[in-house]
């Protein structure tokens, strides 16, 4: 659980976002932005900090995390997924705080058999509770080239986007009793790991380790965000222009709502808000809100 001082400071930030704010925009260099945290050499920073690769074999996966913690931001990375038979693998890009009542905003890419589509699995945790999964197929081959995956997190909503097209929005319905992640600072994380017990067709398709090592590649990370450090936010004061902090109030307009509807009508394959068997006592409260 976040400390009381963190909660108070975060609340003051939310109350003052209409004021002048100081954003921190990352330089897009993995040496400066990230630490490889596990994998015993399976994660590598290449091209003078411009490329980061994660690998998985039958001994271990690998992962990295941001040097900074953030309280709100727009986070983009370009990612090229494992080609060929990637069944049983999970490649991730997400935000998370720590502890049993942590907040988390997930993008997970579930591997496939050659020729089958990847599944993009999304979830939102607030105060330790998740169970808000939505899953999508992608409308392109995510292994053939780099594509941009984005998480916008502001006091109003969380928006997941792919190549600038929104695929999901989780609105702040705290006033209606739905917990929303806004008090706990989060780091950016990414990982590549083995989950053959559930990742591909519910665990029916196992990993073919003769195809290892599996490798996913990240580049062009950017964070237009409020850095949280020593109990204070970098957005607390300064004189940034309105253009640099527009993401703090950004919401979907008519056009982007239409784009999201197109994705959800054509590529969404699971939505917790329609899973009445999973929630026999009634769907989660936010599911009935516009």
């Amino acid at each position: 659980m976040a400390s009381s001082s963190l909660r108070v400071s975060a609340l003051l930030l939310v109350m003052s976002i209409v004021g002048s704010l100081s954003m921190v925009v990352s330089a897009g260099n993995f040496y400066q932005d990230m630490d490889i945290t596990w994998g015993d050499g399976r994660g590598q920073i290449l091209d003078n900090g411009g490329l980061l690769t994660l690998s998985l074999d039958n001994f271990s996966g690998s992962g990295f995390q941001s040097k900074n913690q953030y309280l709100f931001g727009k986070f983009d990375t370009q990612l090229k997924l494992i080609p060929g038979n990637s069944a049983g693998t999970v490649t991730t890009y997400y935000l998370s705080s720590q502890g049993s009542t942590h907040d988390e905003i997930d993008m997970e890419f579930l591997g496939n058999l050659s020729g089958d589509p990847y599944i993009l699995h999304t979830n939102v945790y607030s105060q330790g509770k998740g169970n808000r999964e939505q899953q999508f197929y992608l409308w392109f081959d995510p292994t053939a080239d780099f594509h941009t995956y984005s998480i916008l997190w502001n006091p109003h909503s969380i928006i997941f986007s792919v190549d600038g097209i929104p695929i999901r929005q989780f609105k702040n319905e705290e006033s209606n009793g739905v917990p929303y992640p806004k008090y706990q600072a989060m780091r950016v994380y990414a990982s590549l790991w083995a989950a053959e017990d559930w990742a591909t067709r519910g665990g029916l398709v196992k990993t073919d380790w003769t195809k290892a090592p599996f490798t996913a590649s990240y580049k062009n990370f950017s964070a237009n965000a409020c850095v949280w450090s020593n109990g204070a936010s970098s957005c607390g004061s300064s004189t940034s222009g309105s253009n640099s902090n527009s993401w703090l109030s950004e919401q979907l307009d008519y056009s982007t709502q239409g784009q999201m509807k197109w994705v959800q009508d054509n590529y969404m394959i699971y939505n917790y808000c329609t899973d009445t068997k999973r929630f026999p006592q009634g769907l989660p409260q936010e599911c009935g809100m516009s």
Side-chain angles (χ1 to χ4, degrees), residues 22 69 193 273:
S22 174
Q69 297 184 78
W193 52 286
C273 278

Side-chain angles (χ1 to χ4, degrees), residues 49-212:
L51 179 70
L52 195 156
T53 61
L54 296 179
S55 292
L56 164 71
D57 57 32
N58 56 336
F59 294 102
S60 178
S62 48
F64 65 86
Q65 71 180 41
S66 61
K67 295 179 185 292
N68 289 325
Q69 297 184 78
Y70 306 96
L71 191 64
F72 304 130
K74 186 176 188 298
F75 306 92
D76 304 314
T77 196
Q78 290 190 305
L79 172 59
K80 183 162 68 172
L81 296 172
I82 302 162
N85 182 357
S86 57
T89 69
V90 179
T91 306
T92 71
Y93 173 63
Y94 64 103
L95 301 169
S96 184
S97 60
Q98 298 297 309
S100 60
T101 57
H102 73 292
D103 296 337
E104 190 170 319
I105 305 169
D106 288 338
M107 300 182 87
E108 299 183 334
F109 302 86
L110 311 186
N112 62 358
L113 287 170
S114 299
D116 289 343
Y118 260 84
I119 292 174
L120 171 50
H121 174 100
T122 67
N123 203 354
V124 176
Y125 287 76
S126 51
Q127 299 177 19
K129 181 181 178 182
N131 299 324
R132 298 186 176 102
E133 299 91 344
Q134 290 184 358
Q135 294 183 338
F136 305 84
Y137 287 142
L138 297 168
W139 50 95
F140 52 82
D141 179 359
T143 74
D145 203 351
F146 285 90
H147 290 268
T148 302
Y149 302 92
S150 306
I151 297 171
L152 170 67
W153 169 40
N154 67 27
H156 308 289
S157 65
I158 295 162
I159 299 171
F160 299 81
S161 299
V162 177
D163 287 338
I165 299 174
I167 65 170
R168 177 181 183 179
Q169 180 180 35
F170 183 81
K171 292 183 178 180
N172 183 350
E173 297 288 355
E174 200 172 38
S175 62
N176 294 311
V178 179
Y180 183 80
K182 71 176 189 180
Y183 298 109
Q184 300 184 58
M186 296 195 265
R187 293 186 192 272
V188 178
Y189 294 88
S191 59
L192 174 55
W193 52 286
E196 65 176 7
D197 56 333
W198 67 271
T200 306
R201 294 185 59 200
L204 294 178
V205 183
K206 303 303 181 182
T207 304
D208 181 357
W209 290 110
T210 67
K211 307 296 185 183

Side-chain angles (χ1 to χ4, degrees), residues 239-252:
T239 56
S240 284
S242 60
N243 289 337
S244 65
N245 62 32
S246 60
W247 60 266
L248 259 172
S249 58
E250 182 177 338
Q251 301 187 64
L252 296 180

